[in-house]
Amino acid sequence: MAEADADAAALHVRLADMAVRIGPPSPTESYLRIEAIVEAALRTGAEAIHPGYGFLSERAAFARAVEVAGIVFVGPSPATIEALGDKLAARRLARSVGVDPVPGTLDPAPVDRPDDLEAILAAAAEVGFPLLVKAAAGGGGRGMRRVTAPGELAAALAVGSAEARAAFGDGAVYLEREVRPARHIEVQLLGDRFGTVVALGERDCSIQRRHQKLVEEAPAPGLTPEERRALHDRAVALGRAAGLTNAATVEFLRDSAGRFWFLEVNTRLQVEHPVTELVSGIDIVHEQLWLAAGAPLSDRVVAAAARASEPEGHAIEVRISAEDPGRGFVPTPGRIDRWRMPAGPGVRVDTAVDVGERIPPEYDNLIAKCIVVGPDRPTAIARLRRALAEMEIGGIQTTLPFHRAAAADPAFAAAILSTDWVAERYDPTADRARAARAAAIAAGLAALGGEEPVGRLHLGPGTTGGPGGRQPEPSLRVGLGTRPVDGPSAGRWRLAGREAGLDRWPR
């Protein structure tokens, strides 16, 4: 395993059989140094490199350097990464196989040629306002700017291009119509070296902030088997056209009329791959390794793809990040002083951190993924609520308040989803106030003469915000009699306090 100094004491490094230092905490001096990672693999005699889902995972130059060194790259070929990693090239390829991309331009905007401003303004008028300036390379909202009128375009192009160049080393940007309201739905592909490409199913990733996903689920709620088959077929056609080997994800936007528009392709493993694994029964990383070794798609993968349009079960993933949802999801690095993850039937937690670890400011804020699965969506939501109630993270602020509120939101239960969900449904101010009131009640009850009333604190279903989303004030439901605070029922009050916010909004 290659590790930077900031990760020297991290859980995943401690669990590794061997770890090789590749540089200081700064990504540009460690995890983005192609030569350092290849050298680490050569020094340890590694046969293959799995790039994960960040840093260099979608860099064709990295995949090519790995292959030149005689090491297997666990992912698509450099040619496929180049063909699909560039969003403009992917948009052109999609159109060539009859898959409609989101309306927009197919060539880079002339950012460095002010004399061509008239031409780009004409193209913008044809796309229609509001529109988005988007980076041709990379993703995650970097280089993206929303433009509502022609007068904003020149500045958006300049700023978006500069941000894209800083983030990806490529300042190319293009114009794309803003599809709104929309659902973000993506299809998981696997392909082998023999030309076979299949879809394992689709995921709904509509709940986002700053164009980055917060909640993902599989299958996408509300689609018919016919709609699923048609969507999977489009994604497979694109994968075949690009000569896909290994894993990739094709992303679409579904507009209010139910029409799907091709958005982009991620030529790597996705953060949200566990929900597809739990519904399909396929270990995607396991299959990636076999495919990288030159094996054909297994019979189990082919069988899972055949039933993907009529899936059984439902899985939901929430990304627990070191961010403060009450302050616009700003990063909150720091040291974890309490760490308790949920368990039980249908619950899976993927994480690489532990109590006492410091979350560094240099990297992505994701610290854990809580995934639940059940025979149907209501069961999965119920398990998610229970799992989030069990989760304890202290010392840093995390996104737990948001996820608890979202899991309890009636709009989420009804599968009313869109990329505007956070802005329309989540009110962090109201959530904070509700938590403070309920926490005060829980603390007061726990302090009553060293005894605890027999009963429970009813906190309501959580803050939902938005129209009709106001929740009742916390109410106390107390039965007769008392028990010692340290007795059998003490855990109920502690749980109530935790859910109410005693450790959700650390100072």
Side-chain angles (χ1 to χ4, degrees):
M1 172 178 291
E3 50 92 5
D5 291 344
D7 289 332
L11 177 63
H12 62 283
V13 175
R14 301 199 306 270
L15 292 174
D17 294 329
M18 182 183 299
V20 178
R21 179 185 182 274
I22 57 172
S26 171
T28 57
E29 301 178 82
S30 54
Y31 293 118
L32 291 175
R33 289 179 59 212
I34 293 175
E35 69 281 2
I37 295 175
V38 172
E39 175 61 24
L42 291 172
R43 284 171 55 192
T44 58
E47 297 179 1
I49 294 178
H50 193 299
Y53 42 65
F55 294 119
L56 297 170
S57 59
E58 290 185 278
R59 298 281 184 92
F62 178 51
R64 188 169 287 110
V66 171
E67 292 186 353
V68 169
I71 304 170
V72 174
F73 180 77
V74 184
S77 69
T80 299
I81 295 174
E82 285 177 336
L84 296 176
D86 182 300
K87 293 184 177 64
L88 286 170
R91 286 166 59 81
R92 291 191 291 267
L93 181 63
R95 179 168 286 185
S96 73
V97 295
V99 178
D100 292 331
V102 175
T105 56
L106 297 176
D107 296 300
V111 177
D112 300 324
R113 301 195 304 274
D115 52 309
D116 285 346
L117 184 59
E118 282 192 21
I120 195 64
L121 283 171
E126 186 174 346
V127 172
F129 293 94
L131 57 78
L132 300 173
V133 171
K134 298 184 70 174
R142 304 269 181 92
M144 185 181 297
R145 291 295 181 275
R146 185 171 187 261
V147 180
T148 61
E152 303 171 5
L153 185 59
L157 288 169
V159 174
S161 177
E163 185 178 351
R165 184 176 289 106
F168 312 120
D170 183 348
V173 293
Y174 66 99
L175 307 183
E176 187 176 273
R177 180 183 300 169
E178 183 181 54
V179 180
R180 198 170 185 177
R183 286 175 61 184
H184 184 124
I185 298 177
E186 60 189 31
V187 179
Q188 176 68 61
L189 298 183
L190 287 177
D192 62 24
R193 298 183 182 182
F194 305 96
T196 303
V197 178
V198 299
L200 282 183
E202 82 289 340
R203 302 181 284 256
D204 190 299
C205 308
S206 299
I207 299 182
Q208 308 174 1
R209 52 89 176 91
R210 297 193 302 273
H211 304 284
Q212 295 185 340
K213 302 161 187 173
L214 291 166
V215 181
E216 304 100 350
E217 55 184 306
L223 299 188
T224 66
E226 293 73 25
E227 288 175 320
R228 287 196 173 93
R229 274 191 289 270
L231 181 63
H232 298 174
D233 288 347
R234 292 177 195 174
V236 167
L238 188 53
R240 285 177 180 158
L244 174 68
T245 57
N246 216 271
T249 296
V250 185
E251 301 190 346
F252 295 87
L253 291 179
R254 187 175 192 251
D255 64 23
S256 56
R259 183 171 181 178
F260 285 96
W261 299 95
F262 166 70
L263 187 62
E264 63 185 52
V265 181
N266 293 123
T267 53
R268 55 169 168 79
L269 186 72
Q270 293 282 89
V271 175
E272 59 272 18
H273 72 277
V275 293
T276 298
E277 292 184 332
L278 292 175
V279 171
S280 67
I282 299 297
D283 183 330
I284 294 176
V285 177
H286 178 272
E287 297 301 326
Q288 278 191 289
L289 295 172
W290 277 110
L291 293 168
L297 286 172
S298 65
D299 291 343
R300 59 182 174 273
V301 168
V302 173
R307 60 177 183 268
S309 61
E310 299 184 65
E312 295 182 0
H314 199 93
I316 305 172
E317 172 184 292
V318 298
R319 302 190 189 191
I320 308 300
S321 298
E323 297 176 348
D324 187 347
R327 294 187 294 143
F329 293 92
V330 298
T332 54
R335 192 171 301 280
I336 298 172
D337 62 24
R338 186 163 64 258
W339 183 260
R340 178 174 180 253
M341 292 294 102
V347 177
R348 163 179 164 179
V349 176
D350 289 3
T351 186
V353 303
D354 202 355
V355 66
E357 288 192 26
R358 175 179 171 271
I359 305 304
E362 293 89 356
Y363 310 135
D364 188 89
N365 305 304
L366 179 67
I367 58 175
K369 300 184 294 185
C370 179
I371 313 106
V372 296
V373 64
D376 50 42
R377 191 169 185 269
T379 303
I381 292 175
R383 286 179 172 170
L384 178 63
R385 292 175 179 172
R386 190 261 300 168
L388 293 174
E390 290 181 5
M391 191 175 291
E392 293 183 59
I393 304 174
I396 59 171
Q397 178 60 58
T398 73
T399 52
L400 266 175
F402 167 80
H403 290 302
R404 287 171 175 154
D409 192 299
F412 180 70
I416 301 173
L417 307 170
S418 84
T419 52
D420 292 320
W421 198 96
V422 173
E424 293 176 352
R425 300 295 306 177
Y426 182 59
D427 182 351
T429 303
D431 194 43
R432 185 190 292 266
R434 186 188 68 84
R437 288 192 299 269
I441 294 172
L445 288 169
L448 284 176
E451 293 187 330
E452 172 193 9
V454 179
R456 64 186 295 267
L457 186 66
H458 176 64
L459 301 175
T463 300
T464 63
R470 184 176 179 181
Q471 297 298 331
E473 296 290 319
S475 61
L476 184 64
R477 297 179 180 173
V478 182
L480 299 176
T482 61
R483 289 178 181 163
V485 170
D486 292 330
S489 67
R492 275 189 291 174
W493 289 114
R494 295 192 182 106
L495 176 61
R498 186 168 69 248
E499 290 180 340
L502 291 175
D503 62 358
R504 291 172 57 193
W505 301 100
R507 287 179 285 180

